């Protein structure tokens, strides 16, 4: 299991597989009842709420100046990719973190927010600067390039609105677990 004491802070009942890469552990804060599975790769600062799960082969990239916030009861399914901060790729410069700054393309993003009760499903890709509103769901294999409103289901490439997501049962069950909502 990953050395939890290298993290900024963490709650109780936290499991992090041995096969994860956390490039900046001192920038990671984890709530209680959290599991992070094999082959999670993270280069950004992260705040993870309680009752969260990060499945296998999830990547969260953007460097140590970037930041991901995951609300309580949120979930990143297998293979999800969150590009928190990166090159705009419009040809205004070279692209690669090893290119000197004065020759680099414009950088975009810096923060991704995944609200409470959010599910980002298998192989979804989230672009820099996106906020996924509370209770939203991103369907498998979707490409999200703009904010998603609370309690909506979005899917496709690029992602588009599909329908509203039910809220009441999820919130009630969270309350039964002691979550103040």
């Amino acid at each position: 299991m990953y050395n939890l004491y290298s993290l900024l802070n963490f709650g109780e009942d936290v499991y992090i597989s041995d096969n994860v890469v956390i490039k900046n552990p001192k920038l990671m804060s984890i709530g209680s009842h959290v599991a992070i599975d094999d082959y999670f790769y993270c280069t950004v600062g992260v705040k993870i709420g309680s009752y969260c799960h990060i499945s296998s082969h999830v990547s969260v990239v953007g460097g140590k100046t970037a930041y991901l916030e995951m609300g309580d009861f949120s979930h990143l399914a297998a293979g999800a990719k969150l590009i928190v901060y990166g090159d705009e790729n419009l040809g205004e410069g070279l692209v690669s973190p090893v290119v000197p700054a004065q020759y680099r393309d414009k950088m975009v993003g810096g923060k991704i927010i995944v609200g409470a009760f959010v599910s980002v499903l298998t192989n979804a890709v989230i672009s820099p600067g996106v906020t996924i509103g509370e209770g939203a769901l991103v369907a498998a294999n979707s490409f999200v390039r703009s904010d998603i409103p609370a309690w909506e289901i979005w899917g496709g490439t690029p992602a588009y609105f599909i329908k509203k997501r039910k809220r009441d049962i999820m919130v009630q069950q969270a309350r039964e677990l002691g979550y103040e909502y």
Side-chain angles (χ1 to χ4, degrees):
M1 191 166 127
Y2 195 85
N3 180 4
L4 293 174
Y5 296 101
S6 65
L7 303 176
L8 176 63
N9 60 55
F10 60 93
E12 60 184 67
D13 186 30
V14 173
Y15 170 79
I16 302 177
S17 171
D18 287 333
N19 299 316
V20 301
V21 175
I22 299 171
K23 293 282 191 172
N24 298 294
K26 292 291 183 197
L27 301 176
M28 181 175 268
S29 172
I30 300 176
S32 296
H33 316 290
V34 172
I36 301 175
D37 294 343
D38 289 341
Y39 309 111
F40 171 61
Y41 181 82
C42 182
T43 67
V44 306
V46 180
K47 179 181 178 187
I48 300 172
S50 293
Y51 293 98
C52 293
H53 179 229
I54 299 175
S55 298
S56 64
H57 299 278
V58 170
S59 297
V60 180
V61 296
K64 63 184 177 183
T65 62
Y67 182 74
L68 167 67
E69 183 176 322
M70 290 178 64
D72 297 328
F73 300 98
S74 61
H75 171 242
L76 303 177
K81 310 287 186 257
L82 286 73
I83 299 89
V84 182
Y85 187 62
D87 301 291
E88 189 173 45
N89 289 296
L90 294 179
E92 294 184 25
L94 302 172
V95 290
S96 172
V98 297
V99 171
Q102 68 267 30
Y103 301 106
R104 295 282 306 268
D105 195 1
K106 180 181 173 189
M107 300 296 285
V108 293
K111 187 175 190 176
I112 289 179
I113 298 175
V114 174
F117 303 101
V118 166
S119 290
V120 175
L121 300 185
T122 300
N123 293 326
V125 176
I126 312 299
S127 295
V130 167
T131 294
I132 303 172
E134 178 182 88
L137 181 137
V138 176
N141 297 313
S142 296
F143 175 61
V144 177
R145 59 183 186 185
S146 60
D147 293 352
I148 295 178
W151 301 101
E152 291 187 1
I153 297 173
W154 283 56
T157 301
Y160 56 88
F161 172 77
I162 296 172
K163 67 180 191 176
K164 289 284 194 181
R165 190 173 188 206
K166 295 181 181 176
R167 174 184 178 276
D168 296 339
I169 293 172
M170 294 171 70
V171 170
Q172 180 56 39
Q173 289 174 339
R175 285 183 180 137
E176 290 173 14
L177 285 169
Y179 179 75
E180 295 296 324
Y181 186 76

